[in-house]
Amino acid sequence: MATDHAQLWAALNPRQQFYLKTIFEEDQGREAAQRAAGASGNYNRLPAAEWRTIDAYHEPAVPDLVGRTELQLRWRGAGHHDQGTGSTIKVLVSHDLITTDTRPTRFGLMHQVAMTKQGRALMRWVTKPRASRTKVPLKERAAEVLGQLYDASSSRKGYLDWARSPTIDKDLIPRGLARSRGTYQGFEITKEGIAHLAEHHAAYAAVYPKLNLPDPSGGVGWPEEADRLLDALRGECWSLAHASERAEKRAQEERARADTEFKEEFHRQEGQLALAMYREVSDLKRAHAKTLADTFDGYRAKMRIVLAERLPQYTAATLAAVTVVVEGGDPVAAIRAQTAAAVTTLPAYTPTGVAAVDVEGERLYAECQRKRPRRATTSRKGKAKAAAGLHTEAVPTPARGTALEQPWALAVHLHRALRNGYLYRLLNAPPEEEQPRRRRPAGLLEAPALRLLVALVATENPRRAHHARTEVERYGQATEEELAALPRGLFSYEVKQATRSSKAPGVLVDRGLAEYTNLARFDAYGHYGDNWPLLHVTQAGRDHLAEHREAYAEFLPAVRLPAPSVPAAVS
């Protein structure tokens, strides 16, 4: 029975949602670290069940001895680390979203958590938009590079000055969408590439909404002016917040200098005239420090006033832009309308229908609408705790613990979704294909086996060198009749180059689509021992590819099929 993710997510309160989100982010961070280590050759042989297990909290709580875990630091920064942590985790366990375990330490037990498959599926539903079923010819990276080639065509150079690109060589050049300018001379887009980008631009926007691909047809989507206005607002608020923070610190430093006293004991050996000089210089320094402290305080107060005006405008501008994207309209005009005057009341939040945006956006908007916003509190040890559930790392320090904290967190969240037209493309993507999805016919090969079959068929091209015959002539003794009867195919190392799957050759042989021929009898010098296998396609393999060509083109578009053979004309 399919899980209703919306109902399951709604069953959790904001605190439980925040705990699950932090555990999921830690889990995904470890998974990304494993992939990066594997890519660099530093493989971790530990089972996934071990490196996915995350330390949560220690019992008894002795932070001075065992420290705090990464999860505790995040919970503590969001004001959620208290006596209710254990009960919150039990609720997540009861919904089969996480599992728990313990490990002994010198001072007690460390409680550990790990995401379940259902927990990861729920968080992926929450944090990612639904996948589009629209089919496109190119993968995401190939489409991105094609857009870069088009942008480079209108630049000063007119081409992309990359020394090499496997993506262009394997995906774009064979399709005629790009061409090389020569060895290490860069690449440029072709007329066919421009036409392809214009034809499939809407489909790529639906499938890859994070890619801001250029539209050669001149269509206007999300305007760049909207990004510039929002970025300017965010930059101004950020600079005001941190400049006022630096001004406060400098004022404290200068005031401490102004409060220092002149110590005459350091000048006992000096005469009265010299002592008077040092005393007057000290008085001037203290007066100057006091003047600097007053100047810093004055500008800090002014910057806080401007920040209190501009930050609500930034929040209102992002809310208005989201509304325009959902309902249709001009985002630039909506943003400028919110920055024309002081904002006293935030506009209403318009749900987008995208869980990745609405789940956090609606919660932060509710925090902004509270009559008494949650503010930072100070414990007896003097450590501040930020308002509940906010991304504290994104909140400027002077706004933390004030009424500006919630509007800032909401604006940053919505701006992240709006930037570069991501939300616009997500909501304005063309409708999916109306025709029902075809079922994949039985008997089709998987991509690795199909890739090997295509490579075997390609060896039979008469314009291609007969590699098997060349090798036999080099190392063996064969008559002309035997050489003429040698089949075209691939040796073992060539099979590995065509497909990295170790099972693909066996799949083709078992189904009779390919077969092995042992050429060891032609090896006069014993280079290959008793086995010199050559894998080559059979007539059944050729017929299979010709029969299912359309099905493979639909269901495995990433595999480039050879051109269909043209029957010879009857004279």
Side-chain angles (χ1 to χ4, degrees):
M1 181 177 179
T3 303
D4 188 345
H5 291 135
Q7 182 178 357
L8 181 57
W9 182 254
L12 305 178
N13 62 35
R15 176 191 176 94
Q16 295 158 0
Q17 293 174 355
F18 181 74
Y19 267 61
L20 184 61
K21 181 179 178 182
T22 55
I23 297 172
F24 175 72
E25 290 174 351
E26 179 66 21
D27 176 86
Q28 295 302 292
R30 295 189 176 194
E31 184 177 308
Q34 290 292 323
R35 288 198 301 267
S40 61
N42 301 320
Y43 297 100
N44 189 344
R45 301 300 181 183
L46 288 176
E50 293 187 23
W51 55 261
R52 285 190 185 276
T53 302
I54 307 167
D55 289 344
Y57 63 94
H58 192 272
E59 186 180 0
V62 281
D64 293 338
L65 295 177
V66 299
R68 290 188 174 90
T69 65
E70 292 295 329
L71 293 180
Q72 283 180 304
L73 292 175
R74 292 201 60 182
W75 297 340
R76 183 180 179 85
H80 281 317
H81 188 226
D82 50 34
Q83 298 298 325
T85 295
S87 60
T88 301
I89 289 180
K90 287 182 181 178
V91 172
L92 299 180
V93 172
S94 66
H95 285 91
D96 193 27
L97 301 176
I98 63 172
T99 59
T100 57
D101 199 356
T102 57
R103 64 176 177 86
T105 67
R106 292 178 57 189
F107 307 101
L109 289 177
M110 176 64 74
H111 290 263
Q112 299 174 300
V113 295
M115 295 289 296
T116 64
K117 290 184 178 180
Q118 179 168 312
R120 290 193 197 93
L122 174 63
M123 289 310 301
R124 290 192 181 101
W125 177 85
V126 170
T127 57
K128 292 184 179 180
R130 306 284 72 76
S132 173
R133 289 166 53 182
T134 304
K135 293 181 174 61
V136 290
L138 298 178
K139 295 182 179 180
E140 184 172 6
R141 177 56 182 166
E144 181 183 9
V145 173
L146 184 63
Q148 292 175 341
L149 286 168
Y150 178 77
D151 285 335
S153 65
S154 58
S155 65
R156 180 178 59 84
K157 286 186 175 181
Y159 61 92
L160 200 60
D161 57 348
W162 292 358
R164 58 185 300 272
S165 171
T167 301
I168 297 178
D169 290 337
K170 295 180 181 179
D171 296 330
L172 301 184
I173 291 180
R175 288 181 167 89
L177 307 179
R179 57 173 169 264
S180 173
R181 303 180 71 253
T183 306
Y184 302 109
Q185 298 297 318
F187 303 91
E188 58 187 4
I189 193 170
T190 62
K191 294 181 179 179
E192 292 79 4
I194 297 175
H196 176 91
L197 189 59
E199 179 184 357
H200 300 281
H201 183 269
Y204 286 132
V207 180
Y208 311 128
K210 290 186 178 181
L211 294 185
N212 189 18
L213 297 176
D215 188 356
S217 62
V220 179
W222 175 259
E224 295 182 1
E225 181 65 19
D227 276 334
R228 284 194 290 268
L229 291 175
L230 291 178
D231 288 340
L233 283 170
R234 185 187 187 279
E236 184 179 359
C237 294
W238 186 267
S239 62
L240 284 170
H242 283 277
S244 62
E245 179 187 15
R246 291 192 296 270
E248 182 179 12
K249 291 182 179 178
R250 289 297 303 273
Q252 293 174 354
E253 295 172 359
E254 297 298 338
R255 192 166 287 107
R257 293 191 183 96
D259 293 339
T260 58
E261 298 180 356
F262 178 72
K263 298 181 180 180
E264 296 186 3
E265 59 268 19
F266 293 116
H267 307 282
R268 290 177 180 175
Q269 304 301 325
E270 304 288 347
Q272 291 297 321
L273 188 59
L275 188 61
M277 177 187 69
Y278 290 127
R279 184 180 292 108
E280 183 176 355
V281 170
S282 178
D283 293 340
L284 289 174
K285 288 183 178 179
R286 290 200 303 272
H288 180 63
K290 185 178 183 304
T291 302
L292 287 177
D294 293 340
T295 302
F296 282 125
D297 282 337
Y299 274 99
R300 175 177 175 272
K302 293 178 182 178
M303 286 187 287
R304 294 296 291 270
I305 293 173
V306 177
L307 179 63
E309 177 183 353
R310 299 297 283 171
L311 200 149
Q313 290 180 346
Y314 174 43
T315 308
T318 56
L319 286 168
V322 169
T323 302
V324 167
V325 169
V326 174
E327 299 178 355
D330 184 6
V332 175
I335 295 172
R336 286 177 174 166
Q338 297 298 329
T339 58
V343 174
T344 57
T345 305
L346 290 179
Y349 180 82
T350 304
T352 63
V354 180
V357 178
D358 290 341
V359 168
E360 192 76 2
E362 290 177 348
R363 183 181 65 79
L364 292 174
Y365 185 78
E367 290 289 337
C368 294
Q369 298 302 108
R370 290 171 63 94
K371 294 182 178 180
R372 292 184 179 180
R374 299 176 183 176
R375 298 186 178 182
T377 58
T378 304
S379 63
R380 284 179 292 180
K381 293 185 178 181
K383 295 185 178 180
K385 297 168 71 176
L390 300 184
H391 300 293
T392 55
E393 67 274 10
V395 180
T397 304
R400 198 170 296 157
T402 69
L404 299 178
E405 183 175 12
Q406 287 81 8
W408 170 264
L410 176 61
V412 169
H413 171 70
L414 296 180
H415 190 181
R416 187 180 296 115
L418 289 167
R419 181 177 284 118
N420 228 3
Y422 171 66
L423 184 60
Y424 174 85
R425 290 190 296 276
L426 205 61
L427 299 182
N428 292 275
E432 296 179 358
E433 300 174 354
E434 297 181 359
Q435 57 185 5
R437 296 184 67 179
R438 289 181 54 192
R439 289 185 175 273
R440 179 172 173 172
L444 292 188
L445 299 171
E446 297 296 333
L450 175 61
R451 196 175 290 112
L452 178 58
L453 179 62
V454 169
L456 292 174
V457 172
T459 61
E460 297 188 327
N461 189 333
R463 291 178 295 180
R464 182 170 176 172
H466 195 327
H467 195 194
R469 175 168 181 154
T470 303
E471 291 296 302
V472 169
E473 289 178 334
R474 180 182 302 175
Y475 297 111
Q477 297 177 355
T479 64
E480 184 60 33
E481 292 76 10
E482 292 174 328
L483 290 174
L486 288 178
R488 293 174 177 261
L490 300 176
F491 293 112
S492 298
Y493 69 93
E494 295 174 307
V495 170
K496 292 181 180 179
Q497 293 174 354
T499 176
R500 296 184 179 181
S501 171
S502 59
K503 299 180 180 180
V507 171
L508 297 184
V509 172
D510 292 342
R511 296 185 56 174
L513 306 181
E515 62 183 10
Y516 280 107
T517 296
N518 197 338
L519 304 182
R521 65 181 185 277
F522 299 119
D523 183 9
Y525 304 101
H527 292 90
Y528 305 99
D530 296 331
N531 189 21
W532 188 6
L534 176 72
L535 183 66
H536 56 91
V537 68
T538 63
Q539 186 59 43
R542 302 184 194 96
D543 296 341
H544 175 87
L545 192 60
E547 179 183 356
H548 300 285
R549 171 178 294 274
E550 295 183 0
Y552 280 128
E554 178 180 0
F555 293 99
L556 292 175
V559 180
R560 186 171 176 81
L561 302 177
S565 57
V566 179
V570 179
S571 56

